[in-house]
Amino acid sequence: MKKKLFGLLLVFSTFYASAQQIIPYSYNQYQRLNRSLYSLDTRFHTSLKPVIGDDTTITRELDSLLTIGTDQTRNSWVTRKLFNEHLVEINHEDYSVYIDFLPDFQIGKDFSHAITTWNNTRGYQIGGTIGKKFSFYSSGFENQARFNAYLTNYVNTKNIIPGMVNDKYVLVAPRRTTKDWAYATAVLNYTANKYFTFTLGHDKNFIGDGYRSILLSDVSAAYPYFKITTTLGNVKYMVMWAQFQDPLSPQLSFDNGFRKKWGAFHYLDWNVNNRLSLGFFDSVIWQDADEKGKRGFDASYLNPAIFLRTIEGMNNSPDNALLGLTAKYKLFSNGTVYGQLALDEFTAKEVFTGKGYWANKSAYQLGLKGFDAFKVPNLNYLVEFNAARPFTYSSRSSLLNYGNYSEALAHPIGANFREFLTIWNYQLGRWGFYGQGNYAQYGLDQNGVNFGKDINESYDTRNQQYGYHTTGGLKTNFYYLDGRVSYLLNPKYNLRFELGGIIRTEKNSLGTDRTGQITFGLRSTFRNIYQDF
C-alpha cells in the first residue's frame, strides 16, 4: 500500500512540476490523447496546437505520455538514462530544466529506383520552466541525407528540404545526391494568469482537429511569430503576427537575404457545450518591402480585436486575406466529426452559375476521428476528406501567396485537388503500430498553362476567366501507403527503433512514377516530417 501511494505521489509531482512544459506538436503524439480530449465528459479547446501553458489539464495529459513503459525500479545511471529519464534533468522548486541528445539515424532502400537511402541527424532539445509562469523549449538539428527518388526530385525542384530549409549546397551543386541542412526551433512562453498567455517563438503552428489543416498547418518551415492567447470561459481567442520568407522572389540585395512577408492571424474557438465547438478564423498576408524598400510591417494590422478583411480593404486591397470556419461535434462516445471551410476569394453570383469562375477560391475539410475503435483500447483512427479549388491560396506573386519558404501554409498539395486519407494508430505498451493510406486526385499544369495547383504561380498567368474546375488540367491520381512498427526505448524524447515502409504511385496520361521503400532506424523527437505528397 505504501509503495502504491508513493508511486501516485511521484506521478502527481511529475505532472505538477511540468504543468507548463512545452510539448512540440506532432500528430502521432497528440492523437494518443484522443480519449481524454474528445470524451463526452470534457470540454477542451482542441483545435489550437501546440498546447502551451494555459491548458494545464492537456499539458498534464501530454506529460503522462512521457512516462509510458518507464520502470522506476531501474537503479543504474545507464539504464535510467536510456529507458526512463532525460539525459540531463534538474527539478527544483523554482525551476526545471531538461536536455536531450536527439538522434535520427535511418538506412533504407528505394527498390523502385535502386537507391540506397539514409539519414544522419544529430539533434538536441532543451526545455524547462522558470517559476510558475515561464516555460521554454529549443531544438536544433544538423542533417545529412540521401532521399528516395521523388523526395530528391522535390528538393531539386523547390530547392527546399520538405518542411525545413534549403539545402546548403543548392547553389554550388544543386543536383548533389546527398542533401545537407541545419534546422532549429525555439519557443518562450509566459502565462500571465488564467486569462492571458504570451508566446514568442520560431516554430510552427496548427489550427484544426484533423491530420491536415486548410487554414494553418505545420507543413512549411519554422518561422518567427508572436502570439497572444486569451481564455474567457468557454471561448479561446488567439492573435498572432508572423514573418515568412520567400526564396522565389529576386532578392533586393545579398545583405537582405531572402525576401520577407508578414502575416496576421485571428482565431476564435467557442466550446458551445461538451459536444459542439465552433471556430472563426481570418488572416492576411502582405509583402515586407517592394523594390524601393517601402512599407514593411503594417501597423494597421496590430489591433488584435479587429476584422482583418476590413483593414485589408481599407488599404485598397493590396494584400491577401483568407477567411475560415471550423467545427467539431462529438457524434458518439468515441467518435468526433470535424470540418473546416476556407474562403480565399468569393463572388456569390458566380458560384451558382457553374461556369468555373477562377476567383471562386475556396477549400474545405470533413473528417471523423476517435479512439478505442471496435472496442479495442488505444486503437485510434481518423478518416478525412480535403479539397481545394484551383488558385486557392495563390496571389499576384509568391510574396503575397499563402505560403512560406516555397511551401504551403495550409495543405502540402497546394490547390486544385481532392484528397481522401485514413490513419490508424495502436499502442501496446512500448510497441507502436501506424498505418496510413492516401488517395488524391489533382490537376497539374499542362503545356505551359497554369491550372491553379501551384500556389507559388501568379494567378495573373491564367489564360481564361472561366472553365476552372477542381482537378482540371493534367488529371493525376496519387496513391500513398505508409506502415510503421516501432519499439519505444525512452518516452521522454520518443527514442525508438522503427521499421517502416511506403508505397507511392503518381499516375497520369504522361506516365507513372512508383516508389517502394523500406527503412529502419533509431529515431527520436516529436517533429512532423511530411512525405505524403
Side-chain angles (χ1 to χ4, degrees):
M1 181 66 183
K2 289 183 179 180
K3 290 184 178 180
K4 290 183 179 179
L5 181 59
F6 176 78
L8 289 173
L9 290 173
L10 179 63
V11 171
F12 177 78
S13 64
T14 301
F15 285 172
Y16 180 79
S18 56
Q20 291 185 354
Q21 182 173 322
I22 298 171
I23 309 295
Y25 174 63
S26 164
Y27 172 80
N28 288 337
Q29 186 76 345
Y30 275 57
Q31 58 81 33
R32 288 156 64 187
L33 298 178
N34 283 351
R35 181 185 289 105
S36 298
L37 299 184
Y38 296 96
S39 165
L40 293 177
D41 299 323
T42 60
R43 190 184 297 190
F44 291 127
H45 298 280
T46 58
S47 56
L48 270 174
K49 305 178 182 81
V51 175
I52 298 176
D54 54 339
D55 281 312
T56 54
T57 303
I58 300 180
T59 55
R60 288 173 184 173
E61 292 283 349
L62 284 167
D63 287 344
S64 70
L65 296 179
L66 305 183
T67 61
I68 290 177
T70 56
D71 185 356
Q72 301 300 327
T73 63
R74 291 191 173 102
N75 295 319
S76 74
W77 184 90
V78 174
T79 56
R80 285 189 290 107
K81 295 303 177 182
L82 183 59
F83 297 107
N84 285 9
E85 300 177 358
H86 294 289
L87 180 62
V88 176
E89 189 168 7
I90 303 172
N91 290 305
H92 192 272
E93 182 180 357
D94 297 325
Y95 62 88
S96 64
V97 178
Y98 65 88
I99 303 174
D100 290 306
F101 170 68
L102 303 179
D104 195 349
F105 306 136
Q106 294 182 77
I107 186 73
K109 183 77 172 183
D110 177 353
F111 294 98
S112 303
H113 301 88
I115 298 174
T116 298
T117 64
W118 52 270
N119 183 77
N120 178 11
T121 292
R122 293 85 60 210
Y124 72 86
Q125 70 171 5
I126 301 174
T129 61
I130 303 174
K132 296 182 179 180
K133 296 182 181 295
F134 281 100
S135 55
F136 60 91
Y137 179 85
S138 176
S139 66
F141 307 91
E142 179 66 31
N143 317 264
Q144 292 81 39
R146 187 178 187 188
F147 298 120
N148 58 34
Y150 82 87
L151 286 177
T152 299
N153 182 65
Y154 182 91
V155 175
N156 291 341
T157 301
K158 285 186 171 286
N159 298 330
I160 181 77
I161 309 296
M164 285 174 272
V165 295
N166 56 292
D167 178 18
K168 291 180 180 179
Y169 296 95
V170 68
L171 296 180
V172 296
R175 299 294 173 180
R176 222 174 81 120
T177 57
T178 299
K179 307 303 179 183
D180 192 321
W181 73 101
Y183 183 78
T185 69
V187 177
L188 177 63
N189 187 77
Y190 175 65
T191 302
N193 48 47
K194 66 179 181 178
Y195 302 110
F196 288 97
T197 298
F198 302 89
T199 306
L200 179 66
H202 184 93
D203 204 351
K204 306 181 183 185
N205 292 271
F206 190 98
I207 291 178
D209 287 284
Y211 173 68
R212 308 288 201 193
S213 175
I214 61 169
L215 298 179
L216 182 62
S217 77
D218 58 341
V219 168
S220 70
Y223 46 84
Y225 66 88
F226 177 66
K227 180 167 62 176
I228 303 174
T229 308
T230 304
T231 304
L232 295 172
N234 293 319
V235 174
K236 175 171 284 190
Y237 182 66
M238 182 274 291
V239 58
M240 182 175 72
W241 300 271
Q243 187 183 64
F244 307 112
Q245 299 198 59
D246 179 24
L248 300 175
S249 296
Q251 297 183 23
L252 299 179
S253 71
F254 177 79
D255 292 333
N256 288 331
F258 292 138
R259 297 286 294 275
K260 306 296 192 296
K261 55 184 178 181
W262 294 92
F265 304 83
H266 296 164
Y267 179 64
L268 185 148
D269 187 52
W270 174 31
N271 285 334
V272 181
N273 51 45
N274 279 18
R275 286 184 180 265
L276 177 65
S277 295
L278 301 174
F280 307 90
F281 174 87
D282 70 338
S283 68
V284 64
I285 304 291
W286 72 98
Q287 71 180 58
D288 185 24
D290 57 21
E291 287 74 9
K292 298 181 180 180
K294 297 180 179 179
R295 196 178 184 192
F297 185 84
D298 194 329
S300 62
Y301 294 120
L302 272 176
N303 194 313
I306 202 163
F307 189 45
L308 292 172
R309 181 65 179 88
T310 302
I311 295 299
E312 187 258 350
M314 292 175 63
N315 287 341
N316 196 27
S317 195
D319 306 321
N320 184 14
L322 183 74
L323 304 178
L325 299 172
T326 68
K328 76 173 181 189
Y329 185 78
K330 298 173 185 177
L331 196 60
F332 37 87
S333 60
N334 67 336
T336 297
V337 63
Y338 60 90
Q340 293 184 333
L341 173 66
L343 299 176
D344 194 353
E345 291 186 41
F346 191 81
T347 305
K349 68 177 182 179
E350 298 286 0
V351 171
F352 303 104
T353 64
K355 296 181 179 179
Y357 184 52
W358 77 273
N360 284 338
K361 302 188 294 180
S362 60
Y364 67 94
Q365 175 188 88
L366 183 63
L368 173 69
K369 68 185 301 182
F371 55 93
D372 297 350
F374 310 116
K375 298 183 180 181
V376 177
N378 301 319
L379 179 58
N380 298 287
Y381 65 92
L382 176 143
V383 180
E384 184 174 291
F385 180 81
N386 300 284
R389 279 187 48 79
F391 301 106
T392 305
Y393 310 115
S394 65
S395 190
R396 298 186 302 277
S397 72
S398 57
L399 269 172
L400 289 170
N401 73 354
Y402 201 66
N404 170 47
Y405 227 110
S406 303
E407 295 186 297
L409 280 170
H411 198 288
I413 294 179
N416 194 19
F417 72 89
R418 296 188 184 97
E419 177 194 47
F420 171 84
L421 65 91
T422 183
I423 299 176
W424 296 76
N425 302 75
Y426 179 60
Q427 192 75 29
L428 182 62
R430 288 180 178 264
W431 288 96
F433 303 87
Y434 177 93
Q436 175 182 348
N438 298 47
Y439 168 70
Q441 193 174 76
Y442 43 80
L444 297 174
D445 293 350
Q446 191 172 23
N447 300 323
V449 177
N450 182 6
F451 283 92
K453 177 184 181 295
D454 187 352
I455 69 169
N456 292 315
E457 290 290 326
S458 170
Y459 57 49
D460 287 336
T461 61
R462 68 188 185 278
N463 64 352
Q464 57 196 41
Q465 297 291 93
Y466 296 90
Y468 293 102
H469 300 282
T470 305
T471 73
L474 180 59
K475 187 169 291 186
T476 302
N477 291 301
F478 171 84
Y479 307 88
Y480 183 86
L481 294 174
D482 185 348
R484 305 173 213 164
V485 179
S486 62
Y487 182 78
L488 188 64
L489 296 175
N490 192 322
K492 291 292 186 179
Y493 51 102
N494 203 20
L495 182 67
R496 64 199 186 276
F497 287 116
E498 184 177 274
L499 174 67
I502 66 168
I503 300 174
R504 177 189 183 274
T505 301
E506 190 178 33
K507 183 177 182 180
N508 54 44
S509 60
L510 297 182
T512 300
D513 179 59
R514 291 188 176 92
T515 298
Q517 182 183 15
I518 190 168
T519 59
F520 177 76
L522 176 67
R523 313 196 64 190
S524 63
T525 81
F526 305 106
R527 56 183 179 162
N528 277 344
I529 302 177
Y530 294 96
Q531 300 184 26
D532 53 342
F533 52 82

